Every structure is written in structure tokens, then in C-alpha cells.
């Protein structure tokens, strides 16, 4: 009988963890109010100075959700003025992910042309929610 209770407890705990992870997946989080840090070279190289916001998608080659994130972000950037999307594969350069405090892939970081972080999304982003969070930064851009 004890084995049955252990099994039930494990199933309940696993379900709770699964629901928590599902709730956090794709959630837009504002950038922390910490001092600006220097971006790694590969990230600085992909920033688009002509766009108000560059979405830097941190991916790895073995990440299936990364393909889904790209399928959301690339069309969103194509149809939105001032928004640029780039995918950065960190499979062979984990120090880039570490310097950005990225703990999972995909992680999408919205950056200004000068490298200031606006927000980040862990997991596959929800297009409308991300666009709504970026809207103030896209409409205030002056050339």
C-alpha cells in the first residue's frame, strides 16, 4: 500500500511541475532594472541599427521548440515596421548564453540598437502578447 501512495505523490508532484512550466512558457518578462552589461560580440554583431527593436532568438541545434519560436518570430518581424529578428545558435559557444544569463532555449531577447534589453521570453513566444509588449518601443522610434 505504501508503494501506491508514493506513486500517487510522484504523479501529483510531476503534474504540478508540468503545469508550472507550461504557465511560464512563452511569458513576456520586462528587463530587470539592473545596470546595463556589455553584450557579447556575436550579439552586438547582429543588432540592426535601422530597426527600433532587434529580437535575438537564442537557440541550439538540438532544440525542437526553437524551430517553433522561429516560425512565430520571423513572420512577426517581416510584417512589423521597426522590428528585426535574428536567430543566434549558441551550441558551440555556450559562453554567449552564459553571459546573457540564458538558462534555456529558446530564449528571445528584445534589444534596442544600442544594446539595451527591453524584455525577454523563455520558450516559444506568443506573437500577439509579444507584439503588444513591444508596441511602445516600436512607435516611439525616431530616425
Amino acid at each position: 500500500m505504501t508503494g501506491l501512495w508514493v506513486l500517487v505523490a510522484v504523479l501529483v508532484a510531476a503534474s504540478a511541475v508540468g503545469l508550472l512550466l507550461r504557465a511560464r512558457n512563452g511569458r513576456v518578462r520586462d528587463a530587470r532594472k539592473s545596470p546595463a552589461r556589455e553584450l557579447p560580440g556575436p550579439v552586438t554583431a547582429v543588432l540592426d541599427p535601422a530597426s527600433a527593436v532587434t529580437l535575438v532568438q537564442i537557440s541550439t541545434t538540438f532544440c525542437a521548440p526553437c524551430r517553433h519560436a522561429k516560425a512565430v518570430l520571423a513572420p512577426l518581424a517581416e510584417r512589423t515596421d521597426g522590428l528585426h529578428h535574428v536567430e543566434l545558435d549558441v551550441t558551440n559557444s555556450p559562453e554567449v548564453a552564459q553571459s546573457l544569463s540564458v538558462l534555456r532555449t529558446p530564449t528571445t531577447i528584445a534589444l534596442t540598437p544600442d544594446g539595451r534589453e527591453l524584455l525577454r521570453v523563455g520558450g516559444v513566444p506568443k506573437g500577439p502578447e509579444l507584439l503588444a509588449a513591444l508596441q511602445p518601443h516600436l512607435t516611439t522610434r525616431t530616425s
Side-chain angles (χ1 to χ4, degrees):
M1 190 68 173
T2 304
L4 180 61
W5 286 113
V6 169
L7 177 63
V8 168
V10 168
L11 289 174
V12 167
S15 296
V17 168
L19 290 173
L20 177 66
L21 289 175
R22 176 182 269 179
R24 294 187 64 190
N25 188 42
R27 191 181 75 197
V28 175
R29 292 180 298 141
D30 287 331
R32 294 188 182 123
K33 301 295 183 199
S34 58
R37 60 178 165 217
E38 190 172 331
L39 294 174
V43 176
T44 304
V46 297
L47 291 178
D48 183 6
S51 296
V53 177
T54 299
L55 297 174
V56 179
Q57 177 188 333
I58 307 297
S59 300
T60 53
T61 55
F62 51 83
C63 168
C66 294
R67 291 187 284 278
H68 296 289
K70 184 177 182 177
V72 170
L73 296 172
L76 185 68
E78 287 175 8
R79 67 176 182 262
T80 306
D81 289 335
L83 189 60
H84 179 69
H85 168 255
V86 64
E87 185 176 12
L88 189 60
D89 188 333
V90 296
T91 303
N92 296 319
S93 52
E95 66 279 356
V96 173
Q98 183 179 12
S99 69
L100 293 170
S101 301
V102 170
L103 301 176
R104 67 184 278 203
T105 57
T107 293
T108 304
I109 304 172
L111 299 166
T112 61
D114 62 355
R116 186 173 48 90
E117 183 176 331
L118 300 172
L119 56 87
R120 64 173 56 203
V121 180
V124 179
K126 296 169 183 77
E129 185 180 320
L130 178 61
L131 192 57
L134 289 173
Q135 204 59 50
H137 305 287
L138 296 172
T139 57
T140 60
R141 172 85 169 148
T142 58
S143 298

